[in-house]
Amino acid sequence: MLYWALVFLIVAIVAGAFGFGGIASASAGIAQLLFFVFLVLFIVALVARALRGRTP
């Protein structure tokens, strides 16, 4: 998921450089959404692992 966020971020940067404002803003929005979803899932995984403890 982080990979797709980076892909959309790069698309947004390239589209912004060429002057395609609509495509750039849409790609940046998708990249931001995917990044926050990744971040939430990562934090949930860390908390779940901490609560479960170490396995022998």
Side-chain angles (χ1 to χ4, degrees):
M1 191 172 306
L2 188 58
Y3 169 77
W4 285 109
L6 291 174
V7 167
F8 279 110
L9 179 65
I10 291 171
V11 168
I13 291 171
V14 170
F18 287 119
F20 299 111
I23 296 172
S25 65
S27 295
I30 292 171
Q32 186 178 15
L33 177 71
L34 287 175
F35 176 75
F36 284 123
V37 169
F38 168 78
L39 192 63
V40 167
L41 291 175
F42 179 69
I43 290 171
V44 168
L46 285 177
V47 170
R49 179 156 171 94
L51 291 177
R52 188 172 51 183
R54 290 187 170 173
T55 56

